[in-house]
Amino acid sequence: MKPSLPLLLVTTTFLGLFFLPISEPKSDSCNINLNLKVPIPFDITNLHCLSVWDSQSFILRYVQTSRNTWSFILSTPYTNSYIAMGFSTNGGMVGSSAIVGWVVSGGKGGGIKQYYLGGYAPNQVVPNKGNLNVVANSTFITLESNHLYMVFQLQTTTQPLSWIIFATGSIGLFPQAPSFALTKHLDKISQRIDYSKAKFGSSQGDSTSNSSSSSSSSQANGNNGSNGSLSSQGDSCGSNLNLNAPLFFDTTKLICIPVWNTQGFILRYYESSPNTWSFILSAPNPNSYIAIGFSPNGGMVGASAIVGWISTNNGAGGGMKQYYLAGTTPNMVVPDRGNLVILTNSTLITSQSSTLYMVFQLQTNQPLSRVIFAIGPSGTFPSSPSFALSMHQDKFSMTLDYSTEWDPFWFYFHASVQSLGFIIGTIGVISGLVLNNQLQVDVSLHKALGIIILVLACLQMMALLARPNKASKMRKYWNLYHHNTGRVLIILAIANIFYGIHLGREGNAWKVGYGIVLAILLFIGFLFEINMWSSLEEDDD
C-alpha cells in the first residue's frame, strides 16, 4: 500500500526538524564584535567594554557619543528575570536611580523603565522617576541568541556617576501594568568605574550566610579601551593601608602579619565587634586566583575557603566566592558552599598598584586557627557557569593565635628584656675583669667564656639593628643567625655560671638552687620549641 501524501509530508517535516543542526546560544564577551539585529541610534565602533559581573556574565559597553551624551549597552544571559543598572553617589542602593529592563519568557512582552530607589520598602522604589536624564527614544531591550541587550543614552554635562549597581530579579517575576512595582532583587553587585580609562576602581557584592556573591574590581580592555598604568608597589605591614573603596570596619586596629613570605601574602585581621572578625588579605597580583582557607586540622580536605580573582590581561573580569573542599578531586571542590558565615555586603576584591586586596568579614566567636593560603595557575580563573576551581599552583598553611594577638607587644617586650640583660651582662663582665685584677687569681677559662659571651651579646644587639622586614626574603637567614647565636650564648652562659659558682666555692646549695630555676626555664623553653617545630612541620605538609 502506498503512503498517502499528507502522511509523507508529516513524516518528511518531522525528520527534517529532527535532523536540523541545533545552534547553541552564543555567549557575549568583550572579545567578540557586537552585531545586533535591531538598529542602534549611535556609533558602536568605539565602545569601551568591561566584564562587570563575572558570576552573572554581565557585559557593559559604553562610550561618550557626544559632548553631553553617554551611550550604554548592557548584555546578560537570559534568565527569565529583569536586569537592572543603577547609578549611585556612594555605592549604596538608597538614593540611586536605575534603568530596569525585562523580556517575558518567549518574547511575548517586555519593557524598560527608570526607577528611583528612595528606600528599601517596595513602595519606595518608584517607576518613571529618578535623577537620570535619559535621552528620548534611546531606550530599548532586545533578546537575541538567548541574551538580553539593554540599550540607553544619558544626557549629562559631566561624567555619569562612577558607582554603578547591577542587579537581577527573581525568576519569572516582572514589573506589570499598571503599577510596574519592582520585586526585590535576587542578587546584586556594585562597581566603581573609571570612565576615562575604561577600568574598575573597586567593588562591593552581596553575600549570604554561607556563601559570598561575586564582587570584583579589575581593569579590562574593550575593543578600544585603554589600560591604566599601574606602578608596582608591594604591600607590607610597615605601610599604611589606603584602599580606594569604602570598608565597613575600622582599619586602624587591624593586626598585620606577613603570612607567606615567598609569595608576599600579607594578612590583616581583628575582631571588629563581638562575634565579627574582619580580614584583609593582600598579595602581589599573580594573574591567578588567591585563596585563604580555614581548616579544622591544617589539611585542605574539610576546609572552607574564600577565593578571589581579577584578570588584568584578557578582560575576564573577577569574582569572589566561598568554596567547600570536600576532597582532592576538582568535582569535590564545591563553589558557593562551606562552613564560613560571611557577613552580607562585606566581601570585596580590588587591585591597586599591582596588588590584590581581598576583604571579607566572618560571623563567629573565633575563626579556626589553622589557616591555608593558596594561589592558582597563572592565567586560569574560575568561570561561569560552573566556577570550577583549578588545582592550586602552590599552598602554605600556618597557625594563627587569635586569642593573644601578642605580636607587637611580644617583640617590644623581648627587645626590652634582652637589652636590659645586655646592659647587666656588660656590667658583670666589667666587674669581673676589675675583680680579677684586684684579686690576682687565675680564672682564665671563666674570663674567656665571659668575653665570648659578651661578644655574642654584642652581635645579637647588632642583629637587632639589622633586622629585616618579615616580608623580606633575607628574613629566614636572619632568623637562623639570630636564633642559633642566642642558643649558643645561653648554653655558654649557663656553663659559665656553674663554673663561677664552683670557682667561688659557694657549695652545693647555690648549684641546686640555680639548677632548679634553670630547669623550670628550660622546661618552658622546651615546650615552646616543640610547639614551634611541630607547627613548621605541619606547614610543610
Side-chain angles (χ1 to χ4, degrees):
M1 187 177 83
K2 294 182 180 180
S4 64
L5 182 60
L7 180 60
L8 283 174
L9 289 174
V10 171
T11 305
T12 305
T13 303
F14 174 77
L15 291 174
L17 290 173
F18 184 81
F19 287 105
L20 276 175
I22 300 174
S23 59
E24 296 182 356
K26 296 180 180 178
S27 61
D28 191 20
S29 76
C30 288
N31 296 322
I32 65 175
N33 293 326
L34 185 67
N35 187 20
L36 298 184
K37 296 176 183 178
V38 294
I40 299 177
F42 53 84
D43 184 7
I44 64 172
T45 57
N46 293 318
L47 288 168
H48 297 299
C49 184
L50 290 173
S51 176
V52 289
W53 194 0
D54 194 48
S55 65
Q56 299 291 347
S57 299
F58 273 42
I59 303 294
L60 178 65
R61 294 175 173 90
Y62 67 92
V63 68
Q64 187 175 11
T65 309
S66 62
R67 185 174 182 180
N68 296 328
T69 303
W70 289 77
S71 303
F72 296 87
I73 302 177
L74 178 65
S75 75
T76 74
Y78 182 68
T79 57
N80 194 30
S81 62
Y82 71 74
I83 62 173
M85 177 177 174
F87 296 81
S88 171
T89 57
N90 56 11
M93 295 190 68
V94 176
S96 64
S97 300
I99 303 294
V100 180
W102 64 95
V103 172
V104 179
S105 180
K108 298 177 181 178
I112 181 170
K113 283 183 176 292
Q114 180 178 181
Y115 285 77
Y116 179 71
L117 284 66
Y120 295 106
N123 63 342
Q124 293 180 298
V125 181
V126 189
N128 299 321
K129 301 291 183 185
N131 300 321
L132 302 176
N133 190 0
V134 182
V135 176
N137 300 320
S138 72
T139 63
F140 69 87
I141 188 165
T142 181
L143 176 62
E144 295 186 15
S145 300
N146 209 34
H147 263 68
L148 287 180
Y149 293 87
M150 188 169 72
V151 182
F152 61 95
Q153 290 182 293
L154 299 182
Q155 207 165 43
T156 175
T157 56
T158 60
Q159 286 187 351
L161 293 174
S162 60
W163 275 108
I164 311 293
I165 303 170
F166 302 96
T168 59
S170 299
I171 296 175
L173 298 179
F174 304 94
Q176 293 180 353
S179 66
F180 288 98
L182 200 64
T183 57
K184 183 176 173 59
H185 60 270
L186 180 65
D187 199 2
K188 78 173 180 71
I189 189 175
S190 62
Q191 302 272 22
R192 194 174 65 185
I193 293 179
D194 184 349
Y195 294 100
S196 62
K197 297 180 180 179
K199 69 174 185 178
F200 295 143
S202 57
S203 67
Q204 299 168 267
D206 269 356
S207 61
T208 62
S209 61
N210 284 324
S211 66
S212 64
S213 301
S214 294
S215 66
S216 63
S217 164
S218 70
Q219 177 183 332
N221 283 338
N223 297 335
N224 292 69
S226 59
N227 281 328
S229 59
L230 296 175
S231 59
S232 180
Q233 297 177 353
D235 188 24
S236 73
C237 288
S239 61
N240 293 326
L241 185 67
N242 187 20
L243 298 183
N244 296 325
L247 298 180
F248 303 102
F249 52 87
D250 185 4
T251 62
T252 60
K253 298 180 180 179
L254 288 166
I255 298 164
C256 182
I257 54 173
V259 288
W260 193 2
N261 289 339
T262 56
Q263 297 294 344
F265 275 44
I266 303 291
L267 181 65
R268 295 173 172 89
Y269 68 94
Y270 85 114
E271 188 176 15
S272 49
S273 63
N275 297 329
T276 300
W277 290 79
S278 302
F279 293 86
I280 301 178
L281 176 66
S282 71
N285 193 341
N287 193 31
S288 64
Y289 69 75
I290 62 172
I292 173 174
F294 297 83
S295 169
N297 55 14
M300 296 192 68
V301 177
S304 299
I306 306 292
V307 181
W309 65 93
I310 289 178
S311 171
T312 58
N313 293 332
N314 58 13
M320 190 170 170
K321 282 184 175 289
Q322 180 177 183
Y323 286 77
Y324 180 67
L325 286 63
T328 54
T329 57
N331 65 333
M332 299 185 75
V333 180
V334 189
D336 297 321
R337 294 288 186 272
N339 298 320
L340 303 176
V341 181
I342 304 169
L343 263 65
T344 302
N345 295 327
S346 74
T347 59
L348 158 72
I349 187 165
T350 183
S351 178
Q352 293 181 203
S353 301
S354 299
T355 299
L356 291 182
Y357 294 87
M358 190 165 71
V359 183
F360 60 96
Q361 290 182 294
L362 300 182
Q363 200 167 45
T364 176
N365 180 42
Q366 184 172 297
L368 293 174
S369 60
R370 297 310 307 266
V371 183
I372 304 169
F373 302 94
I375 60 171
S378 181
T380 304
F381 304 91
S383 60
S384 176
S386 68
F387 289 97
L389 200 64
S390 55
M391 180 73 174
H392 59 269
Q393 178 183 314
D394 198 4
K395 73 176 180 71
F396 177 78
S397 66
M398 65 173 296
T399 301
L400 277 180
D401 187 357
Y402 300 100
S403 60
T404 58
E405 300 170 3
W406 285 105
D407 188 53
F409 169 78
W410 175 253
F411 168 73
Y412 291 115
F413 176 76
H414 173 70
S416 300
V417 170
Q418 295 301 312
S419 299
L420 180 61
F422 173 75
I423 293 171
I424 295 174
T426 302
I427 294 172
V429 171
I430 294 173
S431 300
L433 293 174
V434 171
L435 286 173
N436 178 244
N437 291 331
Q438 291 178 353
L439 297 175
Q440 297 296 321
V441 293
D442 183 15
V443 289
S444 56
L445 178 59
H446 184 59
K447 180 169 65 175
L449 287 174
I451 293 173
I452 292 172
I453 291 169
L454 179 62
V455 171
L456 291 176
C458 290
L459 291 175
Q460 287 290 71
M461 298 305 294
M462 292 170 63
L464 178 64
L465 299 176
R467 176 174 172 261
N469 188 278
K470 285 184 178 181
S472 171
K473 294 181 179 179
M474 296 299 295
R475 182 58 181 257
K476 62 180 180 180
Y477 303 110
W478 182 89
N479 284 338
L480 286 172
Y481 159 77
H482 182 61
H483 295 164
N484 290 322
T485 301
R487 292 183 179 104
V488 171
L489 195 155
I490 291 172
I491 292 171
L492 292 179
I494 291 171
N496 208 25
I497 289 172
F498 274 115
Y499 186 51
I501 294 174
H502 170 72
L503 291 176
R505 299 176 182 178
E506 296 296 336
N508 291 331
W510 275 82
K511 293 180 181 179
V512 172
Y514 179 65
I516 292 173
V517 173
L518 184 62
I520 295 172
L521 294 175
L522 287 177
F523 179 72
I524 295 172
F526 177 74
L527 293 179
F528 281 126
E529 286 283 323
I530 292 294
N531 181 67
M532 182 186 73
W533 285 109
S534 63
S535 297
L536 289 176
E537 288 175 0
E538 290 173 355
D539 290 344
D540 290 335
D541 289 344

